[in-house]
Amino acid sequence: MIDRQPIDTYARQISDEKQTSVITGSTASTDKRFNALFTDYADPDSLRKLAAKIKDHTLHHLDTYLEQAEASLQRNGVTVHFADSGDDARETVLNILRGHEVTQLTKSKSMASEEIHLNPYLIENGIEVLESDLGEFIIQLDGDEPSHIVRPIIHKNRREIARTFQREGIAEDYNDDPGTITRRARVHLREKYMLAQAVITGGNFISAESGRLVLVTNEGNTRFGMAPSKVHIALVGIEKLVPTDRDLGVFLNLLGRSATGQQLTVYTEFISGPKDDSQPSGPEHMHVVFMNHGRTDVLDSNCREILRCIRCSACQNVCPVYRQASGHAYRSPYGGPIGAVLSPLLFGDRFPELADLPKASSLCGACNEVCPVDIPIPDLLLRLRDKAKRAHIPQPGDLPMTPFATLATSPSLWRTAMTMSKAMNHLPIQVAPVRPLQDWLGQRTLPDWHGGDFRKWLKARKEK
Amino acid sequence: MVSTPRPVGRKVLFMATCLCDAFYDDAARASVELLEHLGVEVVFPDDQTCCGQPAFNSGDWPSSRKVAKHAAKVFAGDLPVIVPSGSCAAMHFHGHRLQFEECPDAEVESLAHRTWEIIDFIVNGLGIKTWDGEFENPTRLAFHRSCHTRGTDTGEAVTTLLSSIRRAEVVPFGQTDQCCGFGGTFSVTFPHISGRMGSLKLDHIMESRPDLLVSADMSCLMHLTGLARVQGRPIPHLHVVQVLRDTLMTARK
């Protein structure tokens, strides 16, 4: 018995409500993003090729730039930590918090923290964690998982959120007006901000030259988090470096447009260290935790281009498979094409278990077309399929290809098969016990078999 | 995607593709007739089989490399190789190079640099920019841009030629760049998602009320029309080469 592909099975059973939310949300942002890029730039393609070059250069000299970034950050008064594994990163963060006697913190959206399941770990260790990004806050209330890189609750509609707010006592009554929902969240969150002793953020970029940490948000939640907190911890993947401040111009212009169709996100913060004497408020202590978590393995692999990723989710939004299956189908914080490549690589020890993800693509190439750093995602998906095959990881629904190769390299056998298979036209193939055929014929018809007819026509013409 | 200037000439090797060999003989026939009409001598190497995509996309690269090597031998030489499929053409000039990146092969590399999708060849190789064809009645054409022609000149080439046919109107439809859901083996290993993708594509196409669905890939048409028939909304469909040949015949009547 052949099992079905897990992502196809998942897509089959998601609710119509969830599916509508995902399709509507991802389609709308794709159109907006396209317009933002093509209205503002005559040749956005050259811009993304430049971005790819900058990232490749940085990754090629990552050791040098990491050293430079460490020195720059230290010069700015930042304590720098390096964490090799997910465990190391979690422990490092916890130790920093304990060192500053922090028991309560706010956290802005960070994919790096999702990768290592930081929240449950901190909570288990007695720290109160509050997600301050509205989407992540709702995920936290629901005990759900984010399903999208930029819009974690893309799979939910406002009615579900209104019910959550009522259930959790954030609101006294049910009201699904988006403005009201946002206002209620704001009132609730602002009180909490003032109680937080620390703030954890991710990092969109760090300039090795200046040690500036760049954070982009649309809600201003990192600024709010920063204001009352005494300690700021930024958990940053080591691939997030850019060589100079100047490079940020390229990436910030691409990131906003590719992620949400905005020229620039509402808030772009450049953080150059802890608060100094001239500043009335802000964290007195700043820590940057550079996290490896599988990235150097990816750098050594034949899929290293994926480390160019700036987490804009353009590939996810445009992907027709993701739109049908939702981000949760990808069984990791990263959904869509980026997840299909990144997850099996980052979570290397789980490769056999995640090796089906790269199969979840018709290889249509839309992901590469919209990628602001020109990652050849379809090529990477194919290389990972080859890797899984070489590692003899069985794939659900895989068709054996050896007979095909034999047929396709034996011309006379091929020609005979073409003509002989004409019998198919007279057989009741709709009841043939062949799973792939059944899966095809369940929804589609097959055209009539005309095997060999073209060759016959050619030959007859020649003989005339 | 197409990395170097490819050879152009009045003598070419024709690759019919396995789908035309098995199902769509008339699309292959129209290709030959068109090329000959344009003064091109067409050679059909009889030992040709398939581009190897089923094995390649499944991740069985040892198998697909064998098929690629076979194709490289069958189409050896320095003549242009013309393919009536954006997908199989892309396999030659992109897929083959990817699967041989760790073990480069001169014959495979040569094939990559000589392969043309047929409409790209006609427009950008032979320099034919308008088509002297006509429909008897005003005809709305929905042109499905097959995914494997992304980043190539095929899409624009097809639109140029189709738009110049008398009484033809190429009608726009929603989400043009979305995939039809076929993807070869993808359609059998992900039957649900593939079917949903195809139905969505059909919805958009049907909204434009086309008289004819046209593509440069029979594989997409096979998938879309197979779905359409089961869903009780069959749609007339032709490969671009068939449209070009048929409208030419009409014009010469």
Side-chain angles (χ1 to χ4, degrees):
Chain A
M1 181 63 194
I2 316 165
D3 289 328
R4 299 217 183 249
Q5 280 282 342
I7 290 191
D8 198 55
T9 306
Y10 192 92
R12 206 180 282 263
Q13 51 82 36
I14 63 174
S15 68
D16 289 349
E17 200 178 26
K18 181 167 170 174
Q19 171 127 76
T20 307
S21 300
V22 172
I23 290 184
T24 316
S26 52
T27 308
S29 26
T30 297
D31 294 348
K32 203 172 156 200
R33 153 195 187 279
F34 181 86
N35 293 334
L37 271 170
F38 283 83
T39 310
D40 293 347
Y41 294 105
D43 186 8
D45 204 37
S46 329
L47 191 62
R48 73 182 191 134
K49 294 219 150 66
L50 173 65
K53 267 191 197 159
I54 297 172
K55 274 286 181 184
D56 281 353
H57 165 84
T58 316
L59 292 166
H60 193 69
H61 301 283
L62 195 56
D63 47 352
T64 316
Y65 284 119
L66 271 173
E67 271 180 29
Q68 195 192 351
E70 183 186 20
S72 305
L73 285 160
Q74 286 170 342
R75 203 170 52 234
N76 295 348
V78 178
T79 312
V80 181
H81 310 256
F82 288 95
D84 192 40
S85 67
D87 285 340
D88 293 343
R90 284 191 297 259
E91 277 167 30
T92 306
V93 172
L94 183 64
N95 287 336
I96 299 168
L97 293 170
R98 288 201 168 140
H100 293 286
E101 293 175 350
V102 172
T103 55
Q104 205 169 355
L105 60 84
T106 61
K107 184 173 155 295
S108 67
K109 223 179 103 43
S110 146
M111 293 309 292
S113 73
E114 295 292 342
E115 264 177 46
I116 60 166
H117 304 288
L118 184 62
N119 283 7
Y121 173 81
L122 294 180
I123 293 165
E124 263 169 44
N125 283 283
I127 313 259
E128 196 180 309
V129 180
L130 179 79
E131 288 284 353
S132 61
D133 171 88
L134 179 56
E136 292 285 352
F137 172 61
I138 292 161
I139 292 284
Q140 198 179 17
L141 290 176
D142 282 345
D144 199 353
E145 298 282 342
S147 78
H148 189 275
I149 295 173
V150 169
R151 303 173 64 191
I153 52 165
I154 194 168
H155 59 284
K156 292 183 195 288
N157 59 40
R158 59 199 162 97
R159 292 175 296 282
E160 293 170 85
I161 299 164
R163 284 197 291 272
T164 299
F165 273 31
Q166 194 182 12
R167 186 191 69 223
E168 297 296 321
I170 311 282
E172 280 174 20
D173 60 342
Y174 174 94
N175 189 323
D176 62 14
D177 164 56
T180 310
I181 291 176
T182 313
R183 208 160 38 244
R184 286 171 166 179
R186 188 181 293 166
V187 170
H188 178 84
L189 286 170
R190 287 208 174 170
E191 253 175 55
K192 300 275 184 181
Y193 279 127
M194 302 316 291
L195 301 171
Q197 302 144 332
V199 60
I200 296 181
T201 69
N204 292 92
F205 307 99
I206 288 184
S207 156
E209 171 192 40
S210 65
R212 280 201 178 88
L213 167 75
V214 183
L215 294 174
V216 303
T217 71
N218 272 322
E219 298 167 20
N221 54 317
T222 50
R223 285 168 62 112
F224 270 116
M226 220 68 84
S229 297
K230 296 290 163 244
V231 184
H232 172 198
I233 304 172
L235 178 66
V236 187
I238 52 172
E239 85 285 16
K240 293 285 185 177
L241 290 180
V242 293
T244 66
D245 285 13
R246 214 183 133 89
D247 300 316
L248 293 170
V250 174
F251 289 101
L252 287 170
N253 273 307
L254 282 169
L255 179 56
R257 288 180 176 82
S258 299
T260 48
Q262 291 167 290
Q263 292 180 318
L264 209 56
T265 43
V266 178
Y267 298 88
T268 305
E269 289 166 88
F270 300 86
I271 299 165
S272 308
K275 148 186 151 54
D276 66 31
D277 295 338
S278 67
Q279 292 163 323
S281 68
E284 286 153 20
H285 309 280
M286 180 172 168
H287 298 262
V288 167
V289 180
F290 279 116
M291 180 174 94
N292 181 1
H293 194 230
R295 285 158 174 77
T296 44
D297 293 338
V298 183
L299 204 53
D300 284 339
S301 76
N302 61 357
C303 294
R304 64 186 68 84
E305 296 98 325
I306 203 69
L307 292 178
R308 293 179 195 159
C309 178
I310 56 173
R311 308 289 190 266
C312 74
S313 76
C315 64
Q316 190 170 8
N317 285 325
V318 80
C319 177
V321 175
Y322 156 76
R323 286 181 182 179
Q324 294 297 335
S326 89
H328 288 152
Y330 294 78
R331 314 194 298 280
S332 101
Y334 300 105
I338 174 69
V341 175
L342 197 55
S343 304
L345 289 165
L346 273 191
F347 309 103
D349 50 334
R350 287 173 61 204
F351 182 75
E353 179 199 331
L354 296 171
D356 66 293
L357 300 185
K359 287 276 174 114
S361 166
S362 63
L363 302 170
C364 78
C367 47
N368 168 250
E369 203 168 56
V370 300
C371 177
V373 284
D374 196 22
I375 302 173
I377 296 177
D379 290 358
L380 304 187
L381 293 170
L382 282 159
R383 286 190 188 127
L384 287 171
R385 293 179 187 186
D386 172 50
K387 182 184 171 182
K389 194 78 184 178
R390 275 186 286 123
H392 303 290
I393 299 164
Q395 292 281 308
D398 246 9
L399 310 172
M401 285 297 159
T402 321
F404 160 76
T406 307
L407 194 63
T409 49
S410 325
S412 56
L413 201 59
W414 178 273
R415 284 188 292 263
T416 313
M418 278 292 155
T419 340
M420 298 292 281
S421 305
K422 260 197 169 158
M424 264 179 46
N425 290 338
H426 311 289
L427 293 174
I429 54 165
Q430 60 277 14
V431 295
V434 182
R435 175 71 168 273
L437 196 60
Q438 289 313 310
D439 278 340
W440 175 273
L441 290 169
Q443 299 181 70
R444 312 163 187 87
T445 57
L446 265 183
D448 285 343
W449 189 269
H450 287 203
D453 287 4
F454 169 67
R455 292 170 190 254
K456 215 192 282 170
W457 171 79
L458 259 189
K459 215 171 151 200
R461 230 174 44 131
K462 242 181 239 159
E463 282 162 7
K464 256 182 213 168
Chain B
M1 232 180 180
V2 190
S3 51
T4 51
R6 289 157 296 163
V8 184
R10 294 283 160 179
K11 185 174 180 183
V12 302
L13 301 175
F14 178 63
M15 173 169 168
T17 78
C18 63
L19 271 192
C20 289
D21 210 353
F23 297 110
Y24 298 107
D25 54 313
D26 190 58
R29 194 174 146 168
S31 304
V32 174
E33 289 170 337
L34 266 191
L35 290 168
E36 288 180 348
H37 164 75
L38 295 169
V40 177
E41 186 189 338
V42 181
V43 179
F44 178 81
D46 204 37
D47 281 353
Q48 62 181 275
T49 56
C50 169
C51 69
Q53 256 190 97
F56 177 63
N57 292 349
S58 301
D60 186 352
W61 289 13
S63 288
S64 57
R65 277 193 285 256
K66 275 184 208 154
V67 182
K69 283 209 160 213
H70 175 75
K73 283 205 162 50
V74 170
F75 295 100
D78 50 13
L79 294 177
V81 178
I82 310 302
V83 191
S85 156
S87 183
C88 310
M91 183 62 193
H92 277 193
F93 57 64
H94 186 76
H96 285 346
R97 302 177 78 193
L98 185 65
Q99 61 175 337
F100 279 92
E101 63 188 351
E102 281 170 22
C103 47
D105 181 287
E107 282 179 327
V108 170
E109 193 64 21
S110 158
L111 181 61
H113 290 290
R114 287 184 289 119
T115 299
W116 293 82
E117 182 283 318
I118 189 166
I119 307 299
D120 186 15
F121 178 73
I122 290 174
V123 173
N124 300 307
L126 300 179
I128 313 286
K129 307 285 179 193
T130 58
W131 196 250
D132 186 27
E134 72 174 64
F135 282 103
E136 276 174 17
N137 299 304
T139 305
R140 295 167 66 83
L141 305 173
F143 167 49
H144 166 59
R145 287 167 181 263
S146 41
C147 291
H148 288 174
T149 63
R150 274 179 216 274
T152 75
D153 296 322
T154 293
E156 213 185 314
V158 172
T159 316
T160 304
L161 286 191
L162 289 182
S163 310
S164 69
I165 297 172
R166 284 186 293 285
R167 287 194 276 281
E169 187 192 351
V170 182
V171 292
F173 55 87
Q175 297 186 21
T176 323
D177 292 335
Q178 281 275 303
C179 173
C180 76
F182 177 60
T185 49
F186 173 80
S187 64
V188 289
T189 46
F190 290 77
H192 174 78
I193 295 178
S194 162
R196 291 291 295 254
M197 284 164 66
S199 300
L200 208 58
K201 186 94 220 170
L202 278 174
D203 292 346
H204 285 295
I205 290 171
M206 296 301 194
E207 258 175 40
S208 70
R209 294 175 293 105
D211 299 307
L212 196 57
L213 173 61
V214 185
S215 177
D217 267 288
M218 285 321 293
S219 51
C220 311
L221 290 179
M222 177 172 85
H223 181 237
L224 285 172
T225 57
L227 278 170
R229 220 169 295 143
V230 170
Q231 294 172 5
R233 44 174 176 173
I235 175 166
H237 57 282
L238 287 175
H239 192 288
V240 184
V241 290
Q242 293 172 295
V243 176
L244 296 180
R245 177 199 57 190
D246 295 353
T247 55
L248 190 70
M249 309 263 274
T250 306
R252 306 223 153 165
K253 253 185 213 166

